[in-house]
Amino acid sequence: MQTISKPLKVLLSALIVSNIVFMACIVYLYLDNTQNFNAERININDASGKNRVVIANTDHMPKPIIDGKMYKRAYSPAGLIFYDKNGDERGGLAITDNEKTNLNALSFDYQNADAIGILAQDNKSDNYFRAGLLINDKDLSGKPGQNINRINLLTENGNAALVMKDNNEIPRIILKVDSLGNPSIEMFDKSGKLNWKQ
């Protein structure tokens, strides 16, 4: 059985120790950098360079893009935006905190408008609050930003309700429990006139 010479043992020991020290330095630098990483906007692109996800603060949030054209946002949120392979917005997470309200929303979009959204809102100047789920039909006219709100499941100022609407956005059935705990069912005709309540 062949033995390793003393100089070779010293060399191998030195290589092992230097590798351990080198790896420890790499791990330390990596952890130190990730703990102090700051950015105002992060773009995650596909191979063609198109945005697929953008994370940004209020000042650097991109405008909505529908069918390749930019539009103005109703609010200036911070958050995260999803894009399809064409670079059009397909949903996102928006956190809005301005002088009037706190409004947080998660949405997923059709090709040209919101499809489904979850929201939470409370105003700063009054006691108004709401939280819920909004479900929209696609507006087949193709007009950007247009949809047809069909189902809302909301709590609003202490009133919990399920509102189902027709394709003209007129409420037709409302199941409700008000802030005092009183339940009700309401049905409306196509003009929005109440025709039955229980």
Side-chain angles (χ1 to χ4, degrees):
M1 184 172 178
Q2 192 173 12
T3 59
I4 300 173
S5 67
K6 188 172 181 181
L8 187 55
K9 282 183 182 178
V10 170
L11 179 62
L12 289 173
S13 297
L15 286 173
I16 290 170
V17 170
S18 65
N19 279 334
I20 290 171
V21 170
F22 177 71
M23 291 304 296
C25 289
I26 295 291
V27 169
Y28 172 78
L29 290 172
Y30 174 77
L31 291 176
D32 188 52
N33 283 338
T34 57
Q35 289 173 354
N36 296 314
F37 179 76
N38 293 306
E40 294 187 1
R41 177 169 162 166
I42 299 171
N43 296 341
I44 299 174
N45 301 330
D46 61 18
S48 72
K50 288 182 179 166
N51 287 336
R52 296 308 301 269
V53 178
V54 171
I55 304 168
N57 65 15
T58 301
D59 295 330
H60 293 86
M61 182 62 71
K63 293 180 178 178
I65 300 173
I66 301 173
D67 200 21
K69 184 178 177 184
M70 285 189 184
Y71 294 86
K72 185 176 179 179
R73 287 196 187 280
Y75 295 96
S76 297
L80 181 147
I81 306 295
F82 305 111
Y83 297 88
D84 64 17
K85 65 181 180 180
N86 299 316
D88 292 334
E89 186 172 313
R90 294 307 291 268
L93 173 65
I95 308 297
T96 302
D97 179 8
N98 58 35
E99 64 280 355
K100 295 181 180 179
T101 188
N102 295 309
L103 176 60
N104 308 314
L106 172 65
S107 71
F108 295 98
D109 300 346
Y110 294 119
Q111 291 176 5
N112 63 345
D114 296 343
I116 187 168
I118 299 171
L119 64 85
Q121 175 184 357
D122 58 329
N123 290 353
K124 296 178 179 179
S125 60
D126 56 32
N127 290 325
Y128 178 81
F129 65 90
R130 66 180 177 149
L133 173 69
L134 312 176
I135 302 173
N136 303 320
D137 274 350
K138 185 174 182 177
D139 182 344
L140 299 178
S141 71
K143 187 176 180 182
Q146 297 298 308
N147 52 33
I148 302 165
N149 180 236
R150 295 298 304 273
I151 301 172
N152 295 337
L153 178 61
L154 291 169
T155 177
E156 186 172 22
N157 289 346
N159 301 302
L162 171 62
V163 180
M164 291 174 277
K165 304 176 182 180
D166 62 20
N167 59 3
N168 292 312
E169 297 189 346
I170 295 172
R172 300 299 298 274
I173 300 174
I174 299 177
L175 306 175
K176 182 177 180 180
V177 178
D178 69 19
S179 60
L180 301 175
N182 301 310
S184 63
I185 302 173
E186 299 174 339
M187 298 182 74
F188 302 82
D189 64 19
K190 62 183 180 181
S191 66
K193 182 180 177 182
L194 180 66
N195 60 16
W196 186 84
K197 182 174 181 177
Q198 179 66 40

